[in-house]
Amino acid sequence: MNATRQTPDRPDLNVCVCANLRRATRMVTQAYDAALKPAGLRATQFTMLSVLAGRGRMRQSDYAEFLGMDGTTLTRNLQPLLKKQWIRIDRDDDKRVRLISITRPGQRVLDKAVPLWRTVQSQFVKGLGTEQWAGLLGALATTLDIARAD
């Protein structure tokens, strides 16, 4: 990243955690989006369906927390999944609680996407190498812990 030099009124974005993570995230997301396109999924949708497939039906608030999304963003991201009938939303006995689950069509599209995901995932893991891959996972976990503490 070629940001301008740091001055008292202009920080050095080359070392900014947020700027670097956002840039990396955008570029990695583009690679996963391209890989998952034949299945008709975007990377965010793949993650959302994978969480439901692995964890089962979830309260919307727990789902948002697990994904690290605020409620408004989650609601916006649920709309295309609902429209395609890949998920369903039911009410709990407590009518204020929404329960989200993956549907059979959602599971089918996820099953189609998994081999595509495995291919792009292995490219990143192989490119990083075992040691850097483990280090990246550790650094990301620590970064999340620090972000949650604030």
Side-chain angles (χ1 to χ4, degrees):
M1 186 190 283
N2 282 332
T4 56
R5 282 179 288 144
Q6 180 175 354
T7 64
D9 63 327
R10 194 175 301 144
D12 181 1
L13 295 182
N14 289 312
V15 296
C16 176
V17 174
C18 183
N20 281 285
L21 281 174
R22 289 181 59 84
R23 181 173 184 235
T25 299
R26 282 190 297 272
M27 295 181 82
V28 169
T29 299
Q30 289 170 12
Y32 278 79
D33 281 347
L36 295 168
K37 190 172 184 172
L41 281 176
R42 298 182 57 91
T44 52
Q45 295 169 330
F46 177 85
T47 300
M48 293 174 75
L49 292 175
S50 294
V51 168
L52 292 173
R55 296 178 64 96
R57 188 164 75 162
M58 296 180 73
R59 294 169 59 119
Q60 185 168 338
S61 58
D62 295 336
Y63 192 40
E65 183 178 339
F66 186 86
L67 293 169
M69 290 183 187
D70 62 66
T72 302
T73 302
L74 177 61
T75 298
R76 187 175 53 249
N77 282 289
L78 290 173
Q79 293 311 308
L81 303 178
L82 277 168
K83 186 176 178 181
K84 293 179 180 179
Q85 299 181 344
W86 292 343
I87 63 166
R88 66 179 282 161
I89 300 177
D90 297 305
R91 295 285 179 182
D92 190 44
D93 292 337
D94 178 344
K95 299 299 179 200
R96 296 170 295 176
V97 176
R98 295 169 43 142
L99 300 169
I100 304 170
S101 57
I102 191 169
T103 62
R104 285 190 180 131
Q107 186 62 58
R108 282 194 295 273
V109 75
L110 182 60
D111 291 344
K112 182 178 178 183
V114 167
L116 303 170
W117 173 86
R118 287 188 200 287
T119 299
V120 70
Q121 175 76 3
S122 68
Q123 290 170 352
F124 278 99
V125 173
K126 183 179 178 183
L128 285 165
T130 305
E131 190 173 312
Q132 274 192 304
W133 173 239
L136 177 60
L137 289 178
L140 290 171
T142 302
T143 302
L144 287 171
D145 289 342
I146 294 166
R148 285 185 185 122
D150 286 341

